[in-house]
């Protein structure tokens, strides 16, 4: 792997940057691998990277049916935070946040992680009480969180409408200063480059069509580019987790929905933090290009179509204008949707399954991007050792029969 | 936005309806005798297919009655609407 640095930049400047090496190979699939990862998004690539780096397992293929990072990795609103309520969530999301903090150095790839803070607004007395409880729970878990009064909110984020006459007045907010944004594509590319350098085969345009089993054990996968033998198959297929699991004969507590986002035309810098409101139902930040990036709720019905209804957009825009009156004349440039896999408790499933050698990392629902490094890290441990790490043990599939659900609907930031 | 044909009120916009998820999940007759796994199966496990899906809708802004729909989860095409208690027409999903 050619190391990126100021010197490599200068060297390549001499020939007008025409001779940068390819960032990763595009190999033909081999006949067999120790581990096959289904899904070349951030989580899948992170899993491959940590398998190679932490566990020395390099006979790994990442199979991606489309292009690398073209699914939900490319479709989210790039928010990173770890302000979750329950201990189990705090542990895995904050592990992730800690990995984010060193990720650009670790991968030698600028993932543009910017800790600009994440603000969660409260609009009524119930919100306020809930917010206080959350802040205390979060701090007890050693994660940073603080309360801001309306005056402090106005100073921190001046374009917010903090008028007491607003339809949904802002009465307070929690702020996680370590939270922020990262560049979504760069995360996929950085992990892909680093995994490839350690010998992982990244195979794009290769859709898995079946999972071969002998008894209760996985023996291989069928793909559009032939059969690949392997004893370990790891599904990291996000919105399509149920579809992949069905190939292994499993039913999951997951339903897939479209979740959309949109961006405005670029404007001058007005918003240097991330603002979320569960009640008004929107989350927004400003990209380095000046576009406001916004997301809201899912469409109610199950769907695998990467599109969403106009009424959902109208609802989102109404929320944005309520919070930020100055955007009312902005044009919206692009709109898209991703397919999110939602569990009944709004927490993911990361672990083993009743099928030997078949592992699942999915159900991240509407908030998987932030978890990319921690998810890959814990999942790699699970695959390498055939047992979960304490970080992801609570997120086992068995919790739906044991009843130990991890209810994080509130931490989704908005109600989904 | 979907256009859904309520069996009683006719074709209406999706915004008039509430979604009720997968249809034909029968409540266990004797919940006390269920294993935890069987209870989880009833409560949480879903088909979530990519393709035809049998699902429930309720006409919240109209007659407020529940009914079943067969809708493709990839194309969003609705191929059947039938009343509660009825079997899906044709070969089901």
């Amino acid at each position: 792997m050619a190391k990126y640095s100021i010197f490599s930049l200068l060297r390549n400047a001499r020939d007008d940057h025409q001779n940068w090496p390819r960032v990763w190979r595009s190999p033909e699939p081999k006949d067999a691998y120790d581990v096959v990862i289904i899904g070349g998004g951030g989580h899948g690539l992170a899993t491959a990277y940590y398998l190679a780096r932490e566990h020395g397992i390099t006979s790994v293929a990442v199979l991606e049916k489309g292009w690398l990072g073209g699914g939900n990795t490319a479709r989210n609103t790039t928010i990173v935070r770890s302000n979750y309520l329950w201990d189990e969530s705090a542990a895995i999301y904050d592990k992730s946040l800690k990995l984010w903090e060193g990720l650009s150095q670790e991968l030698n790839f600028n993932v543009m992680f910017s800790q600009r803070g994440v603000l969660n607004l409260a609009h009524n007395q119930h919100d306020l009480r809930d917010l206080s409880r959350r802040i205390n729970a979060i701090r007890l878990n050693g994660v940073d969180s603080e309360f801001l009064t309306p005056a402090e909110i106005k100073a921190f984020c001046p374009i917010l409408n903090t008028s007491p006459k607003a339809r949904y007045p802002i009465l307070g907010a929690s702020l996680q200063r370590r939270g922020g944004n990262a560049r979504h594509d760069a995360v996929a590319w950085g992990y892909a480059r680093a995994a490839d350098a350690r010998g992982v085969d990244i195979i794009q345009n290769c859709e898995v069509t079946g999972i071969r089993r002998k008894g209760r054990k996985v023996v291989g996968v069928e793909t559009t580019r032939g059969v690949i033998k392997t004893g370990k198959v790891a599904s990291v297929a996000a919105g399509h987790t149920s579809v992949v699991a069905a190939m292994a004969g499993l039913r999951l507590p997951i339903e897939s929905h479209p979740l959309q986002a949109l961006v405005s035309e670029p404007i001058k810098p007005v918003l240097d933090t991330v603002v979320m409101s569960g009640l008004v139902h929107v989350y927004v930040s400003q990209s380095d290009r000046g576009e406001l990036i916004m997301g809201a709720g899912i469409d109610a019905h199950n769907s695998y179509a990467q599109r969403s209804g106009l009424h959902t957009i109208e609802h989102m825009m109404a929320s944005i204008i309520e919070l930020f009156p100055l955007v009312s004349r902005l044009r919206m440039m692009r709109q898209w949707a991703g397919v999110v896999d939602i569990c009944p408790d709004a927490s993911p499933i990361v672990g083993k399954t009743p099928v030997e050698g078949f592992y699942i990392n999915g159900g991240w629902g509407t908030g998987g991007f932030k978890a990319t490094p921690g998810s890959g890290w814990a999942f790699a441990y699970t695959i390498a050792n055939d047992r979960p790490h304490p970080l992801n043990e609570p997120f086992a599939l068995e919790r739906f029969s044991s009843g130990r659900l991890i209810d994080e609907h509130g931490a989704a930031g908005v109600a989904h | 936005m979907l256009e859904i044909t309520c069996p009683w009120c006719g074709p209406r916009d999706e915004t008039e309806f509430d979604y009720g998820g997968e249809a034909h999940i029968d409540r266990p007759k004797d919940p006390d005798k269920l294993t935890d796994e069987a209870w989880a199966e009833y409560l949480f496990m879903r088909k979530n297919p990519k393709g035809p899906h049998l699902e429930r809708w309720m006409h919240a802004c109209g007659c407020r009655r529940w009914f079943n729909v067969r809708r493709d989860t990839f194309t969003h095409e609705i191929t059947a609407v039938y009343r509660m208690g009825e079997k899906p027409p044709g070969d089901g999903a």
Side-chain angles (χ1 to χ4, degrees):
Chain A
M1 183 170 88
K3 191 168 159 52
Y4 293 156
S5 69
I6 183 72
F7 302 109
S8 67
L9 199 61
L10 291 174
R11 263 199 310 279
N12 281 280
R14 281 190 313 221
D15 43 17
D16 278 345
H17 300 286
Q18 296 301 304
N19 294 310
W20 284 99
R22 288 195 67 155
V23 179
W24 53 80
R25 299 164 295 132
S26 226
E28 284 299 311
K30 294 181 195 146
D31 292 339
Y33 290 93
D34 289 349
V35 179
V36 166
I37 294 171
I38 305 174
H43 289 242
L45 294 164
T47 304
Y49 170 71
Y50 291 113
L51 269 174
R53 183 182 179 278
E54 303 275 324
H55 307 285
I57 300 174
T58 55
S59 171
V60 177
V62 178
L63 308 183
E64 167 54 49
K65 72 174 173 182
W67 66 95
L68 194 148
N72 289 355
T73 301
R75 292 164 187 275
N76 63 85
T77 50
T78 75
I79 299 169
V80 175
R81 60 189 173 88
S82 63
N83 53 354
Y84 280 69
L85 179 64
W86 299 108
D87 301 358
E88 297 87 345
S89 317
I92 195 164
Y93 286 106
D94 208 53
K95 165 73 183 178
S96 206
L97 185 46
K98 284 174 184 147
L99 288 171
W100 275 113
E101 286 170 335
L103 201 58
S104 291
Q105 293 299 324
E106 156 109 27
L107 299 178
N108 181 230
F109 200 99
N110 188 2
V111 300
M112 298 168 77
F113 181 47
S114 159
Q115 293 180 295
R116 57 185 65 186
V118 173
L119 208 55
N120 282 79
L121 305 178
H123 300 278
N124 54 40
Q125 290 302 320
H126 175 80
D127 272 3
L128 267 184
R129 279 192 291 269
D130 190 56
L131 201 72
S132 306
R133 178 195 178 206
R134 277 179 184 281
I135 290 171
N136 289 327
I138 290 163
R139 291 170 71 113
L140 283 172
N141 274 318
V143 179
D144 71 305
S145 185
E146 59 195 90
F147 181 80
L148 298 192
T149 63
E152 289 167 334
I153 295 166
K154 190 70 182 170
F156 186 73
C157 182
I159 65 164
L160 266 173
N161 177 17
T162 50
S163 161
K165 290 182 180 161
R167 171 68 182 85
Y168 299 103
I170 295 169
L171 303 184
S174 70
L175 172 63
Q176 183 177 25
R177 290 189 192 270
R178 287 165 63 234
N181 290 108
R183 174 80 204 279
H184 48 6
D185 294 327
V187 178
W189 298 336
Y191 273 122
R193 173 168 167 268
D196 176 86
R198 288 171 186 269
V200 171
D201 281 359
I202 296 164
I203 300 157
Q204 302 181 67
N205 298 309
C206 180
E207 182 171 1
V208 172
T209 52
I211 294 174
R212 291 200 170 172
R213 284 171 290 158
K214 203 172 257 175
R216 293 300 286 171
K217 201 172 160 19
V218 163
V219 293
V221 291
E222 295 161 13
T223 78
T224 48
R225 293 172 67 174
V227 176
I228 299 172
K229 282 185 236 153
T230 183
K232 290 183 174 184
V233 173
S235 166
V236 201
H240 283 67
T241 301
S242 296
V243 176
V244 173
M247 293 176 194
L250 292 177
R251 262 157 73 81
L252 295 178
I254 285 177
E255 292 195 284
S256 299
H257 296 266
L259 175 65
Q260 70 174 326
L262 49 86
V263 294
S264 74
E265 59 187 318
I267 53 174
K268 288 187 176 178
V270 292
L271 183 62
D272 61 356
T273 186
V274 180
V275 176
M276 312 182 70
S277 165
L279 186 87
V280 180
H281 207 161
V282 77
Y283 36 95
V284 58
S285 62
Q286 189 171 20
S287 75
D288 294 338
R289 289 188 295 243
E291 304 151 334
L292 294 178
I293 308 168
M294 305 161 233
I298 55 170
D299 283 41
H301 54 76
N302 289 30
S303 174
Y304 286 90
Q306 289 172 322
R307 61 178 188 272
S308 150
L310 184 67
H311 59 288
T312 316
I313 301 173
E314 288 174 337
H315 186 75
M316 183 199 304
M317 293 319 300
S319 309
I320 284 286
I321 292 166
E322 163 68 21
L323 292 181
F324 305 105
L326 73 81
V327 308
S328 65
R329 293 188 191 174
L330 283 188
R331 289 184 193 86
M332 296 301 134
M333 291 207 308
R334 297 190 304 280
Q335 175 272 345
W336 65 93
V339 180
V340 298
D341 46 343
I342 299 186
C343 284
D345 58 355
S347 286
I349 300 167
V350 186
K352 297 175 68 173
T353 67
V355 178
E356 204 180 318
F358 183 60
Y359 305 85
I360 282 183
N361 182 350
W364 290 94
T366 59
F369 177 73
K370 67 176 83 68
T372 304
S375 150
W377 191 89
F379 198 42
Y381 181 99
T382 308
I383 297 164
N385 298 293
D386 196 36
R387 64 183 149 83
H389 188 272
L391 274 183
N392 63 310
E393 201 168 12
F395 296 97
L397 187 54
E398 289 80 37
R399 75 176 185 271
F400 294 95
S401 45
S402 72
R404 289 191 65 85
L405 301 185
I406 304 163
D407 180 7
E408 287 289 3
H409 281 281
V414 296
H416 286 297
Chain B
M1 187 187 303
L2 305 175
E3 186 183 79
I4 301 167
T5 304
C6 171
W8 290 276
C9 311
R12 301 293 181 93
D13 284 348
E14 177 189 343
T15 44
E16 292 193 14
F17 296 87
D18 276 352
Y19 183 63
E22 186 177 323
H24 307 296
I25 299 173
D26 292 333
R27 188 177 170 81
K29 293 232 165 22
D30 198 352
D32 291 345
K33 299 227 170 81
L34 283 189
T35 62
D36 289 347
E37 285 69 29
W39 188 237
E41 181 71 22
Y42 161 69
L43 275 184
F44 299 126
M45 302 300 164
R46 296 294 179 262
K47 289 184 186 139
N48 195 27
K50 183 176 188 174
H53 186 230
L54 302 177
E55 59 193 22
R56 301 171 304 171
W57 287 85
M58 194 263 278
H59 194 184
C61 300
C63 62
R64 299 197 59 79
R65 282 197 270 192
W66 286 94
F67 56 96
N68 295 312
V69 168
R70 181 175 60 205
R71 182 182 59 92
D72 189 296
T73 58
F74 187 62
T75 64
H76 290 177
E77 186 189 2
I78 293 173
T79 50
V81 174
Y82 55 101
R83 297 185 180 191
M84 298 308 283
E86 290 178 0
K87 290 224 170 356
D91 56 352

